[in-house]
């Protein structure tokens, strides 16, 4: 089946966004990129002020509530609809719930050609990137480095610890059907 979507899953500061941008340059056709950060930025500010929304704890833990899940479900379905309409889609995700998070995507993407990619990065390297970025809650990268991969099955895994995003993108692109 032709690849219609690439789902990149990894912890904060693992390099997913950089890989997604590089994929857009190395793939022969145009692909759209959407990340969970896109969803969060589109939400009203009140979503970060409510237990039902999304909370970024001081230690880097991320807690999501029922209203967030409702909007996330609609967003996932919308992304899937774009792929069904013919757009190549790259998703930059953080499966905080591990296999359960992947299952929500699998349900929405049923019938589509999906390449599931695990983006790994050693916790210490991701934490250093997080500090350098300055736009993340300290501790988020370390908290998510392994958590997001628990029980998740992939077609391919890349490791950004010592590889540049373009190298990872080229490896992924070689697996596109």
């Amino acid at each position: 089946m032709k690849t219609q979507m690439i789902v990149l899953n990894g912890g904060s500061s693992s390099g997913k966004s950089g890989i997604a941008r590089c994929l857009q340059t190395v793939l022969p056709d145009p692909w759209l990129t959407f990340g969970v950060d896109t969803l969060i930025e589109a939400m009203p500010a009140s979503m970060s002020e409510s237990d039902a929304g999304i909370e970024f704890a001081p230690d880097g833990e991320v807690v999501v509530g029922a209203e967030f899940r409702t909007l996330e479900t609609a967003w996932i379905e919308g992304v899937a609809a774009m792929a069904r309409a013919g757009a190549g889609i790259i998703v930059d995700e953080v499966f905080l719930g591990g296999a359960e998070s992947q299952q929500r995507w699998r349900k929405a993407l049923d019938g589509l050609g999906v390449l599931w990619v695990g983006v790994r990065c050693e916790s210490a390297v991701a934490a250093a990137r997080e500090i350098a970025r300055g736009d993340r809650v300290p501790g988020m990268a370390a908290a998510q480095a392994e958590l997001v991969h628990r029980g998740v099955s992939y077609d391919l895994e890349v490791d950004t610890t010592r590889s540049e995003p373009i190298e990872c993108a080229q490896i992924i692109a070689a697996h596109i059907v």
Side-chain angles (χ1 to χ4, degrees):
M1 176 179 284
K2 181 179 187 260
T3 304
Q4 297 162 282
M5 288 195 63
I6 302 166
V7 178
L8 306 172
N9 175 52
S12 178
S13 300
S14 63
K16 301 175 307 296
S17 298
I19 291 171
R21 284 189 301 275
C22 289
L23 278 165
Q24 288 179 306
T25 65
V26 301
L27 292 171
D29 298 317
W31 287 67
L32 299 174
T33 299
F34 297 99
V36 67
D37 289 344
T38 310
L39 168 64
I40 293 167
E41 290 168 8
M43 292 182 175
S46 63
M47 291 293 288
S48 62
E49 301 163 1
S50 160
D51 289 345
I54 184 166
E55 176 188 350
F56 299 94
D59 65 355
E61 181 184 15
V62 180
V63 181
V64 298
E67 289 177 1
F68 177 90
R69 286 285 180 233
T70 299
L71 292 175
E72 179 192 46
T73 298
W75 179 70
I76 290 170
E77 292 290 339
V79 170
M82 286 186 285
R84 286 190 175 88
I89 306 289
I90 303 164
V91 174
D92 162 355
E93 249 292 11
V94 181
F95 289 167
L96 293 174
E100 183 181 319
S101 296
Q102 185 180 35
Q103 189 54 39
R104 284 193 296 275
W105 275 99
R106 282 191 185 281
K107 180 180 173 189
L109 304 181
D110 187 46
L112 291 169
V114 181
L115 181 67
W116 298 93
V117 182
V119 179
R120 295 192 179 265
C121 183
E122 288 178 8
S123 178
V125 172
R129 290 177 187 166
E130 174 182 76
I131 291 167
R133 288 174 69 159
D135 66 348
R136 302 284 182 206
V137 176
M140 191 181 296
Q144 294 175 3
E146 292 302 320
L147 172 75
V148 301
H149 299 291
R150 289 189 188 146
V152 178
S153 59
Y154 299 112
D155 300 308
L156 175 66
E157 292 188 43
V158 294
D159 191 323
T160 66
T161 303
R162 291 172 195 82
S163 298
E164 293 297 320
I166 190 68
E167 296 171 278
C168 295
Q170 290 167 335
I171 292 166
I172 296 165
H175 287 80
I176 302 298
V177 179

